[in-house]
Amino acid sequence: MPLTTAAPNMADILQRQRTFWMTGATRDLDFRLTQLKCLRQAIVNYQAEIVKAATQDLGRPEFEGYFEVGAINELDYVIKQAPKWVRPRKVSLPLSQLPGSAWIQPEPLGVVLIIGPWNYPFQLIMSPLMGAIAAGNCAILKPSELAPATSNVLARLVNDTFDPAYIAVVEGGVDTAQALLAEKFDHIFYTGGERVGRLVMQAAAAQLTPVTLELGGKSPCIIDSDIDVATTARRVVWGKFLNAGQTCIAPDYLLVQEDVKPALLEALQQRLEECYGPDPAQSPDLARIVNDTQFERLMGLLQGQIVVGGEYNRGDRFLAPTLIDNVKWDAPIMQEEIFGPILPILTYKHLEEAIAAINQHPKPLALYVFSRNASVHNQVLQQTSSGCVCINDVILQVAVWDMPFGGVGNSGIGAYHGKFSFDTFSNLKSVLRKPFWLDINWRYPPYEGKVKLFRKAIGLS
Ligand code: NAD
């Protein structure tokens, strides 16, 4: 029976998963690989529905709908690498610990909860899920109610593919999320905004459950004067306006070296027209704002010196790609994550100013820097802190599966992707094995006469 009814009994679903987990079936690598392959096949089977749902929920162009299906790219990597990740990881012992051997033995955590957001509503449930499966866990998935078409497809896909005693979807809104959070899980993986992230962490604290929080924030994009202007404009326009700016690692604002601003502004305007035509409302390549609440929030940010864009249509929640020039740090748009197709432009004279301004704000999820000059790259890398950095491009760092993806400070706790997901959903158990054949007396009472030797052993003279 599908577990997607309006008021599912959370404790019941959880109990069934715990019972299944206790059988030990998920500890078997072949079982995990089979499930991952089933998931891959299910995504392939459902691809048209997934893309269609992204269009229904977010007005996504077909091309951008395939970003959701793109989860299979990481899945293939996980299927290929998981046999290596499950192996015990040998650790060398210090001389004082010999004879013996030591290793790190990954083991599954148990039953985990994955809560997803609306902006990449399929992909951001699938990506942690594949890590949870590879690591040998059972999982309950709570997709965002604000992307209802995707939530529905995801629930059907999962119910068709897995026994709910292993992987289950619970659809619903805030009440459902809160009811789930009242239960005891072995890990909670949350992707979404900072406000709810705090609530998730509070609920997890009550149960002493570990959390991964994948949050957002304002990701700066520094643009030095030594750049290829046209290429910079192409990349920034793509990364900012795909999914109508509703991307957690989209460049939130530009910090432009003042000498290059006139040329960059012109290139950005030209690029916007090349991508979306003279009337972006007619473009088939622009997504829409997810709901009226988000739309009205963005309307409130639409003020200042709009140099291009600003047109909107409440009826279909369309907001044209918009550039706002001469923005000051105290403007309303600089007080919150924009998460929409509005790009404020601020300037700096010396790089130190830009770095100081960034450092006065919470640590961002992503930071971008465009420059031909390696000393600029190094200065930014050394003097700022962020979850990730991409130099001379945007967004693409998220799809390098060997790199951890996560925030720092207010932009998140923990990280995932590829092996980092596997580790996030594993207990990395330390094991030391000693033989019986040597048992030197130095550590046992009576201690008399042993202090000097012990001091020497720990490194004191
Ligand atoms: P959202 O409103 O869909 O919320 C996310 C999830 O939290 C949903 O499943 C929702 O049901 C649940 N939720 C909402 N209120 C809750 C409550 N009171 N208690 C418990 N659960 C609750 O998504 P959102 O927060 O608007 O998502 C946008 C934010 O997510 C942005 O800040 C963005 O930067 C961030 N984000 C981060 C990443 C990342 O990978 N770091 C990815 C995507 C989005």
Side-chain angles (χ1 to χ4, degrees):
M1 198 184 101
L3 291 168
T4 54
T5 48
N9 182 339
M10 312 300 172
D12 198 42
I13 301 169
L14 195 60
Q15 190 47 48
R16 286 173 67 186
Q17 293 211 348
R18 288 223 174 279
T19 305
F20 181 68
W21 193 73
M22 294 296 281
T23 65
T26 68
R27 289 182 177 263
D28 179 43
L29 173 63
D30 286 339
F31 173 85
R32 301 182 199 178
L33 292 175
T34 304
Q35 304 306 321
L36 289 169
K37 287 172 191 164
C38 288
L39 181 60
R40 188 191 196 283
Q41 190 55 50
I43 297 173
V44 170
N45 294 347
Y46 274 85
Q47 58 182 298
E49 286 195 62
I50 297 165
V51 172
K52 192 170 152 215
T55 304
Q56 285 173 313
D57 287 331
L58 290 145
R60 287 254 192 102
E62 185 188 12
F63 183 91
E64 293 181 12
Y66 272 97
F67 291 173
E68 304 292 325
V69 180
I72 58 168
N73 186 262
E74 185 183 4
L75 189 45
D76 285 338
Y77 182 76
V78 171
I79 291 169
K80 194 162 163 225
Q81 300 294 327
K84 271 188 236 157
W85 300 336
V86 299
R87 283 186 210 142
R89 305 168 194 177
K90 196 159 171 36
V91 172
S92 53
L93 284 178
L95 211 59
S96 56
Q97 289 273 20
L98 292 174
S101 57
W103 65 93
I104 297 163
Q105 185 157 327
E107 65 178 8
L109 293 172
V111 179
V112 303
L113 172 64
I114 298 174
I115 302 178
W118 51 263
N119 62 330
Y120 290 88
F122 182 81
Q123 201 255 326
L124 291 175
I125 291 272
M126 284 300 134
S127 181
L129 174 64
M130 60 187 82
I133 293 177
N137 299 278
C138 297
I140 294 181
L141 315 175
K142 214 300 275 166
S144 176
E145 72 281 14
L146 303 181
T150 304
S151 174
N152 178 279
V153 175
L154 198 143
R156 283 187 291 117
L157 180 155
V158 169
N159 285 325
D160 278 359
T161 312
F162 302 111
D163 182 340
Y166 172 47
I167 309 288
V169 174
V170 177
E171 289 191 88
V174 176
D175 290 351
T176 305
Q178 286 173 340
L180 282 166
L181 287 169
E183 300 294 335
K184 168 75 180 162
F185 286 89
D186 297 297
H187 194 90
I188 297 173
F189 189 103
Y190 166 82
T191 305
E194 190 181 318
R195 184 188 67 81
V196 177
R198 288 175 199 270
L199 299 174
V200 169
M201 198 163 169
Q202 263 173 24
Q207 304 276 9
L208 210 60
T209 302
V211 290
T212 301
L213 301 180
E214 292 285 334
L215 310 178
K218 290 181 87 62
S219 296
C221 181
I222 301 172
I223 301 187
D224 179 38
S225 53
D226 188 3
I227 52 167
D228 175 329
V229 174
T231 306
T232 302
R234 283 165 70 88
R235 294 175 180 176
V236 167
V237 163
W238 173 73
K240 176 69 187 187
F241 298 109
L242 65 91
N243 202 26
Q246 301 163 114
T247 303
C248 59
I249 49 166
D252 188 272
Y253 59 92
L254 301 186
L255 255 175
V256 184
Q257 205 290 328
E258 59 186 22
D259 296 342
V260 80
K261 194 178 86 171
L264 182 76
L265 210 52
E266 200 185 316
L268 288 170
Q269 280 175 270
Q270 190 187 330
R271 187 61 197 154
L272 280 171
E273 177 140 2
E274 283 165 9
C275 287
Y276 309 117
D279 180 8
Q282 304 306 319
S283 167
D285 296 323
L286 274 171
R288 296 300 188 256
I289 306 307
V290 68
N291 60 27
D292 293 341
T293 310
Q294 289 296 326
F295 188 83
E296 294 308 328
R297 183 185 63 79
L298 289 167
M299 288 292 109
L301 300 180
L302 209 54
Q303 47 186 279
Q305 196 179 326
I306 296 175
V307 285
V308 57
E311 305 87 9
Y312 59 87
N313 177 357
R314 277 199 167 76
D316 72 344
R317 295 191 300 276
F318 165 77
L319 175 53
T322 300
L323 303 181
I324 306 184
D325 196 9
N326 292 323
V327 174
K328 299 282 175 273
W329 283 101
D330 58 1
I333 200 162
M334 295 308 291
Q335 310 313 310
E336 61 181 91
E337 181 182 1
I338 300 168
F339 222 53
I342 311 173
L343 185 58
I345 299 169
L346 295 87
T347 50
Y348 67 88
K349 196 176 178 65
H350 303 292
L351 186 58
E352 292 70 25
E353 289 166 38
I355 290 174
I358 289 169
N359 288 341
Q360 274 167 21
H361 294 85
K363 293 176 182 177
L365 183 58
L367 188 147
Y368 300 106
V369 52
F370 284 80
S371 177
R372 287 196 183 97
N373 189 338
S375 70
V376 169
H377 308 162
N378 291 337
Q379 193 174 346
V380 170
L381 285 173
Q382 280 165 20
Q383 296 178 6
T384 64
S385 177
S386 56
C388 54
V389 171
C390 184
I391 298 169
N392 296 336
D393 214 321
V394 293
I395 311 286
L396 300 180
Q397 76 277 13
V398 77
V400 180
W401 308 128
D402 273 334
M403 296 209 287
F405 178 69
V408 54
N410 286 23
S411 55
I413 295 174
Y416 74 130
H417 282 185
K419 179 165 178 290
F420 297 93
S421 298
F422 179 90
D423 286 355
T424 285
F425 288 107
S426 296
N427 174 36
L428 299 179
K429 187 160 68 179
S430 298
V431 184
L432 174 66
R433 178 157 58 196
K434 303 286 277 183
F436 287 111
W437 59 265
L438 186 67
D439 197 29
I440 303 172
N441 206 22
W442 67 267
R443 64 183 153 133
Y444 301 120
Y447 296 131
E448 201 188 338
K450 295 178 181 171
V451 171
K452 210 168 160 193
L453 188 68
F454 184 61
R455 283 175 52 92
K456 213 167 177 174
I458 62 174
L460 293 171
S461 52

